[in-house]
Amino acid sequence: MPQPIEALDRPALERRYRRMRLATVILAGVSLLLVAALGAQGFTGSAGAAPRSGGESANSAGNSSGADQSADSCPVTDRRDPDDPRALGDVDAPVVLHEWTDFRCPYCGSFSRDTLPVLIEEYVETGKVRLEIHDAALVGGENSILIAAASRAAGDQGRYFEFYDEVYHAPDSAKDENGEFNLEALVGFAKAAGVADIAAFTADVESGKFEDAVRKDTAEAQAIGVTGVPFFATSNCGQVMSGAQPVDTFRDQLDAAVAAAREAKKN
């Protein structure tokens, strides 16, 4: 069962991320000890390893007046690019919800199927929240990178979220004998997602055109302390959550974030 969200003040959150970044640079083993000491419940790993995905932890941090607002202290910077294929919602929405995902992560699949549609209907389509996706290829190694690169190839033709849905709704029978999604499966997802130029999509995937971008996203995720997926953060470091939390947990956090953002805008 998901654990209740633990409230942290901004200085505590900043200390957590600085320690996580230092641990990542020095030694992965040290990272494990620091994460345990800080009460995090994710799982460590790298793009070439296969750690388990997280489904039970969540943490939040409330904004405090006078806290350091520098980018270095925040887990993520809002992209707010109107042409971003991996984003949904109003570019000027009060809050951006960032999701780090791995297409081989079962908890990410649960979130995308069970929770995300509700959040899109209640928050994205109403203009309250913008969703921005980040890759964190931590679970399935090279196959995770391949799938994420394919999702970007679909996004290059304006079909990122349609491809995202196809992958997360795919049956196990779509996997090969190694339990992976191969090129044939990815092309099938692209066709089902409505990607117009399948030849261009296939060429992009075969050439590895977007793989470096996926690896960069993954490295950035690890540098800010993302050790398990799915992982979430809202604008301005307001809240972070790990795991496929119940929809009511997201409602509580997003309602608070939107209210805080609107109040801050008044002032």
Side-chain angles (χ1 to χ4, degrees):
M1 296 293 293
Q3 300 297 317
I5 290 181
E6 174 189 4
L8 299 174
D9 56 21
R10 273 296 301 275
L13 180 63
E14 291 169 10
R15 288 195 296 273
R16 165 187 277 184
Y17 279 105
R18 290 191 186 103
R19 287 167 124 181
M20 285 182 176
R21 286 195 295 267
L22 178 62
T24 302
V25 172
I26 295 175
L27 186 64
V30 177
S31 176
L32 279 171
L33 295 176
L34 287 175
V35 170
L38 291 168
Q41 298 181 37
F43 296 90
T44 59
S46 66
R52 293 171 290 175
S53 52
E56 297 186 349
S57 64
N59 296 291
S60 70
N63 291 318
S64 61
S65 60
D68 179 11
Q69 295 292 330
S70 68
D72 184 59
S73 69
C74 289
V76 66
T77 300
D78 299 343
R79 298 195 297 259
R80 293 192 183 271
D81 177 357
D83 299 319
D84 188 344
R86 295 182 296 140
L88 285 178
D90 188 344
V91 72
D92 295 318
V95 171
V96 174
L97 174 65
H98 298 268
E99 178 197 358
W100 285 264
T101 193
D102 183 320
F103 286 102
R104 289 292 305 279
C105 159
Y107 290 107
C108 299
S110 295
F111 168 77
S112 71
R113 292 187 297 270
D114 303 332
T115 304
L116 183 57
V118 178
L119 300 184
I120 290 174
E121 179 181 359
E122 295 183 6
Y123 293 93
V124 176
E125 292 180 352
T126 57
K128 297 177 182 178
V129 172
R130 176 176 172 85
L131 174 69
E132 295 185 354
I133 306 293
H134 304 258
D135 293 314
L138 302 171
V139 177
E142 290 299 316
N143 195 229
S144 289
I145 294 172
L146 177 67
I147 303 166
S151 75
R152 288 174 182 251
D156 204 41
Q157 298 191 43
R159 307 301 288 179
Y160 176 84
F161 283 96
E162 291 81 359
F163 188 90
Y164 174 107
D165 285 343
E166 289 297 328
V167 175
Y168 281 133
H169 284 83
D172 285 341
S173 59
K175 298 176 182 177
D176 63 17
E177 63 275 11
N178 297 315
E180 298 181 339
F181 291 129
N182 57 26
L183 178 62
E184 181 181 359
L186 299 177
V187 169
F189 298 151
K191 290 178 179 177
V195 173
D197 191 337
I198 293 298
F201 169 86
T202 303
D204 286 346
V205 176
E206 289 184 315
S207 69
K209 178 179 178 179
F210 295 103
E211 291 186 6
D212 284 347
V214 174
R215 295 179 194 277
K216 180 181 178 181
D217 240 19
T218 301
E220 290 175 351
Q222 292 174 303
I224 63 171
V226 176
T227 57
V229 284
F231 188 88
F232 307 90
T234 56
S235 302
N236 302 320
C237 312
Q239 297 145 350
V240 296
M241 292 188 291
S242 179
Q245 301 297 319
V247 68
D248 282 343
T249 298
F250 283 94
R251 287 186 176 122
D252 290 343
Q253 297 303 313
L254 292 176
D255 286 345
V258 170
R262 288 175 172 170
E263 185 63 28
K265 189 174 182 180
K266 290 179 183 179
N267 299 331

